Amino acid sequence: MLIKTNAIVLRTVAYGDDRLLAHLFSEVRGRVVVAVKLSSSQKGRMQRRLFQPLSLLTVEIDFRENRDVQRLKNVAMHYAWTSVYADAAKISVTLFLAEVLFHTLRQETEDVRTYSFVELSLKCLDMMESNRGKANFHLAFLVGLTRCLGFFPADAVDSRGDVFDMRTGQCVMSMPPHRDVLRGEETEAMRRILRMDYGNLHRFAFTREERRRCLDMVLAYYRIHVSSFPELRTIGVLEELFG
């Protein structure tokens, strides 16, 4: 069956000089792996530059249910970046987001809501001009993604409890019988993060240490709710840039 869909590149693995395995998150099939034979000429369709992390593509795939690796028949750029590749901060953010998505988007079924969120997020990042907005972008993205993945802690936003139970995603008045909690100032910091969106990022002033701690808290929350969520390799560059 030939399917045509928009798709986002999560990761590529090279084998040989002219072949790739590309892990894609597609609009109509969810997570899919395709084999790519790169073009040998500049006029060919399968150019290596199309398969950068988080490239937004339109692809045609010869899809077979019984195959682990599908055949890519055609590819074109769906959205061309205007600023990402010229901005070191944005490049670092995209590499981090790609790694997060690689480890969280696992379903091989249609998920239009999540696809739309990720695509919109990437376009917002491309248009982002505020330095503070760029520095906070990854935090807002992680929070937004929890809505799609089903563990956004909605009850914690306006709750008066000063203990954030990371297992239930709720703020409570007393300590639960486990250690997966935030308390006091950390709970208030989590509430601040949960109020972020792409339109208000410039209003959130963090020191480098505060932003680093916020990221640590959100990733700890992910590790509780996403099975086998690893230590991320790209976090070091991100923290060096933004804290």
Side-chain angles (χ1 to χ4, degrees), residues 16-29:
D17 295 331
D18 62 348
R19 296 178 186 272
L20 297 173
L21 289 180
H23 295 259
L24 308 178
F25 181 58
S26 70
E27 188 170 17
V28 303
R29 295 297 309 193

Side-chain angles (χ1 to χ4, degrees), residues 12-240:
T12 60
V13 179
Y15 64 102
D17 295 331
D18 62 348
R19 296 178 186 272
L20 297 173
L21 289 180
H23 295 259
L24 308 178
F25 181 58
S26 70
E27 188 170 17
V28 303
R29 295 297 309 193
R31 183 76 173 259
V32 62
V33 181
V34 297
V36 183
K37 188 178 188 306
L38 298 171
S39 300
S40 57
S41 70
Q42 293 297 318
K43 295 182 179 180
R45 295 174 179 173
M46 303 292 181
Q47 297 293 319
R48 188 182 297 273
R49 61 180 174 80
L50 294 174
F51 298 94
Q52 301 299 314
L54 299 190
S55 289
L56 296 168
L57 306 177
T58 299
V59 296
E60 290 184 4
I61 302 171
D62 180 9
F63 190 89
R64 308 292 175 88
E65 293 286 355
N66 60 345
R67 284 200 307 231
D68 294 329
V69 178
Q70 308 298 332
R71 295 176 183 173
L72 184 65
K73 303 290 287 185
N74 204 354
V75 61
M77 188 69 72
H78 169 57
Y79 175 86
W81 301 119
T82 61
S83 67
V84 167
Y85 294 144
D87 188 317
K90 290 183 180 182
I91 291 173
S92 298
V93 172
T94 59
L95 293 176
F96 173 79
L97 300 187
E99 188 176 14
V100 170
L101 292 170
F102 181 81
H103 292 294
T104 55
L105 302 182
R106 299 170 179 173
Q107 290 188 333
E108 298 177 351
T109 56
E110 181 181 35
D111 187 350
V112 175
R113 180 191 180 196
T114 302
Y115 181 89
S116 297
F117 166 74
V118 176
E119 181 176 302
L120 175 63
S121 298
L122 297 177
K123 291 177 179 178
C124 287
L125 176 62
D126 191 37
M127 294 183 290
M128 186 72 62
E129 296 182 355
S130 163
N131 287 333
R132 184 179 291 171
K134 287 184 281 187
N136 290 332
F137 190 91
H138 57 294
L139 295 175
F141 179 88
L142 290 171
V143 168
L145 186 60
T146 65
R147 294 181 183 273
C148 300
L149 299 177
F151 54 91
F152 176 73
D155 293 341
V157 177
D158 297 315
S159 171
R160 295 183 180 180
D162 62 358
V163 177
F164 179 63
D165 185 333
M166 291 200 288
R167 294 188 183 182
T168 65
Q170 297 177 321
C171 287
V172 295
M173 300 302 293
S174 58
M175 286 290 292
H178 58 79
R179 296 183 178 181
D180 294 326
V181 299
L182 303 174
R183 290 182 289 181
E185 292 182 358
E186 290 186 337
T187 299
E188 288 305 313
M190 179 62 80
R191 285 198 182 99
R192 288 187 69 194
I193 298 168
L194 296 177
R195 295 188 179 99
M196 283 183 165
D197 59 51
Y198 299 141
N200 66 16
L201 290 181
H202 61 286
R203 300 177 184 173
F204 288 82
F206 294 108
T207 66
R208 292 177 64 86
E209 182 56 37
E210 287 172 340
R211 188 176 292 109
R212 181 181 294 111
R213 180 56 187 147
C214 286
L215 180 57
D216 288 344
M217 291 189 299
V218 176
L219 291 179
Y221 186 63
Y222 265 71
R223 291 188 189 98
I224 291 170
H225 294 274
V226 179
S227 63
S228 303
F229 190 80
E231 296 290 334
L232 301 177
R233 296 178 298 173
T234 53
I235 193 171
V237 175
L238 202 64
E239 290 185 337
E240 186 174 331

